[in-house]
Amino acid sequence: MRTTLRPRKAAVTMTAFTALAALALAACGGGAEKDPGEAGPSGGALPLKGEKIEVAAVWTGPEQENFTKVLKEFEKRTGATVTFVPAQDPIVNFLGTKIAGGSPPDVAMLPQVGAIQQAAAQKWLKPVGPEAEAQLAANYSRGWQELGAVDGTQYGVYFKAANKSLVWYNTAVFENAGATEPKTWKEFLATAETISASGVTPVSVGGADGWTLTDWFENVYLSQAGPAKYDQLAKHTIKWTDPSVTAALTTLAELFGKPSLIAGGTSGALQTEYPASVTQTFTGGDQPKGAMVFEGDFAAVNIAQTEAKIGTDAKAFPFPTVGAAGTTPVVTAGDAAVALKDTKGAKALLAFLASPDAAKIWAAEGGFLSPNKNLDPSAYPNDVQREIAKALIGAGDDFRFDMSDQMPQSFGGTPGKGEWKALQDFLKNPKDIAGMQARLEADAEKAYRAAAKG
């Protein structure tokens, strides 16, 4: 699903910028040596004064509030007026309606690689422009740049990322059970048994949301089968009946097949939505409903809704390696900013979002992870989140984007259908692995065939 980009310069130079960028620098109070991400508060003529920019995203609650703080800083620096447009999920459908009605937003935040490719195929998207390209070349690994490109043209700027290869745990439960952070899948299962013997159910699973189960599968598969196989399955160049899928489902069944290790048993897990799977792990002191919960760095937002403190009551360890030659997986997700209008305001906003300054604003609020390698780790509010960020950046180009987000939405991203529903059924009954593989392959083949027809 990735594309190859043309070579880029490794550093930002003034020759990479348009006249707009030069104006923006002057208006932001910086000298010629500053780029849009480094400029200070407005001190002179504002290059985008009078410009109105609409930004559509599906974010609500704290995410919307924190993103609005980023947009306010852009307004302050440029004089533009930015309006947040709440969008429905899937956002591609929302944008299609807006475009059909002749009123698309200037910028949209797309949460899937497939959404960028779909929107580009519909010719909805505009190239990011030279200012944003320069920021990307300076601040992002090639892997993150490629995720935002289609057929060599850069359309997306990944602003918010996720490290989806973490297991969060209740430190009091671990201490009482004498448990330590496991590094391998075998150790993980042994730790679960140790915690169970101490009187606490070890693993909380948000099975009511199918996407959490795809994340379980992807981490096991990436560690056990390796990046090459992962890419092939994501593209459906190998089938779901492949032996590598058999191995991954067999591994998952070692946990899913033991209801006593799962909070509420499998039936309870299938009724537990993701937010509750997190909060129930950190509610009840040393007697929670579950001692560990697997999910990304964004779980910090849900933990903050409890009395637990990250770094003391709540900590995280990397997803355990699977198999003798298994590697620590780094599965990511993210939201990319794309322009739907070829305006100077849209391009300037994309350039700003690609800068460390924009990332720093949200990072300080927590519940955020940036793929920007030049963001100072001190911007994050605690050591746990700093370590999570370092793991993401340290993966370089060896990370892999969420597999289900790369697939046709009808298979990899629809509640009650495709992979989501299949893995929910697998959690309920993980015995018939061959039958599950046949079902996954049939659904995938149908979805990819339909996607190819457009």
Side-chain angles (χ1 to χ4, degrees):
M1 299 298 286
R2 294 190 178 182
T3 56
T4 302
L5 296 182
R6 56 190 178 280
R8 286 192 178 82
K9 293 182 180 179
V12 180
T13 65
M14 281 306 296
T15 57
F17 294 92
T18 63
L20 168 64
L23 281 173
L25 303 186
C28 292
E33 64 271 21
K34 284 193 174 185
D35 65 38
E38 297 171 333
S42 305
L46 300 172
L48 297 176
K49 189 172 184 180
E51 286 278 324
K52 297 185 184 301
I53 305 170
E54 289 188 342
V55 182
V58 297
W59 290 324
T60 59
E63 287 185 311
Q64 181 180 334
E65 293 171 11
N66 292 333
F67 185 52
T68 299
K69 292 177 183 178
V70 177
L71 300 179
K72 289 294 183 185
E73 178 62 21
F74 178 76
E75 289 182 323
K76 179 180 172 184
R77 296 183 180 208
T78 64
T81 299
V82 185
T83 302
F84 181 91
V85 179
Q88 287 77 47
D89 205 1
I91 193 171
V92 170
N93 295 353
F94 171 85
L95 294 176
T97 301
K98 287 289 188 180
I99 290 168
S103 58
D106 298 85
V107 172
M109 306 301 298
L110 300 184
Q112 292 106 7
V113 175
I116 297 176
Q117 294 169 340
Q118 184 178 344
Q122 296 286 342
K123 302 190 183 305
W124 293 348
L125 305 185
K126 310 300 179 184
V128 299
E131 310 96 81
E133 287 219 25
Q135 288 286 333
L136 287 167
N139 300 322
Y140 287 71
S141 72
R142 182 158 299 280
W144 282 104
Q145 294 176 57
E146 291 176 350
L147 286 173
V150 179
D151 296 333
T153 299
Q154 193 73 41
Y155 292 112
V157 169
Y158 272 90
F159 176 63
K160 186 177 187 290
N163 181 336
K164 302 182 81 172
S165 298
L166 302 168
V167 179
W168 296 84
Y169 66 96
N170 184 311
T171 57
V173 174
F174 265 54
E175 289 170 7
N176 291 345
T180 57
E181 296 182 359
K183 291 181 170 55
T184 67
W185 182 258
K186 183 178 179 180
E187 291 174 359
F188 174 76
L189 294 176
T191 298
E193 294 287 0
T194 297
I195 291 170
S196 180
S198 76
V200 177
T201 307
V203 184
S204 177
V205 177
D209 293 313
W211 62 267
T212 64
L213 304 181
T214 69
D215 289 349
W216 273 102
F217 172 81
E218 288 159 9
N219 275 273
V220 168
Y221 191 82
L222 178 57
S223 180
Q224 193 170 37
K229 284 279 191 181
Y230 186 98
D231 292 342
Q232 291 169 354
L233 188 59
K235 297 174 184 177
H236 200 221
T237 55
I238 60 173
K239 296 183 177 183
W240 283 83
T241 50
D242 189 84
S244 62
V245 178
T246 309
L249 291 176
T250 300
T251 296
L252 268 183
E254 293 175 351
L255 173 64
F256 291 177
K258 291 187 176 181
S260 63
L261 299 182
I262 298 174
T266 52
S267 60
L270 287 167
Q271 298 177 53
T272 302
E273 296 180 342
Y274 159 71
S277 73
V278 179
T279 55
Q280 72 181 16
T281 305
F282 300 100
T283 303
D286 62 358
Q287 293 295 313
K289 290 184 178 180
M292 299 180 280
V293 60
F294 155 69
E295 252 319 326
D297 60 282
F298 45 81
V301 174
N302 305 98
I303 295 171
Q305 296 173 333
T306 72
E307 295 182 359
K309 302 299 180 186
I310 294 176
T312 53
D313 308 309
K315 292 184 179 181
F317 56 84
F319 195 92
T321 61
V322 183
T327 58
T328 301
V330 179
V331 175
T332 65
D335 297 273
V338 298
L340 289 96
K341 293 182 180 178
D342 195 15
T343 63
K344 61 182 181 180
K347 289 183 177 180
L349 179 56
L350 262 58
F352 178 63
L353 293 177
S355 74
D357 274 17
K360 182 178 179 181
I361 296 167
W362 195 339
E365 302 297 327
F368 174 85
L369 190 62
S370 173
N372 192 313
K373 63 185 179 183
N374 289 323
L375 174 64
D376 191 326
S378 66
Y380 293 99
N382 56 64
D383 288 340
V384 172
Q385 288 180 272
R386 278 188 278 275
E387 289 303 313
I388 293 170
K390 287 179 182 178
L392 178 72
I393 299 301
D397 292 336
D398 291 336
F399 70 89
R400 285 298 182 271
F401 203 86
D402 185 297
M403 187 188 293
S404 61
D405 283 351
Q406 299 183 55
M407 296 172 171
Q409 186 173 297
S410 61
F411 177 68
T414 302
K417 295 183 179 180
E419 189 185 7
W420 288 23
K421 182 61 167 66
L423 290 180
Q424 286 176 320
D425 290 346
F426 182 69
L427 172 61
K428 186 176 181 179
N429 179 18
K431 294 180 180 178
D432 185 10
I433 291 174
M436 179 54 60
Q437 287 184 261
R439 172 180 167 181
L440 284 163
E441 175 55 28
D443 288 348
E445 198 278 332
K446 180 179 178 181
Y448 279 87
R449 185 172 64 247
K453 291 180 179 179

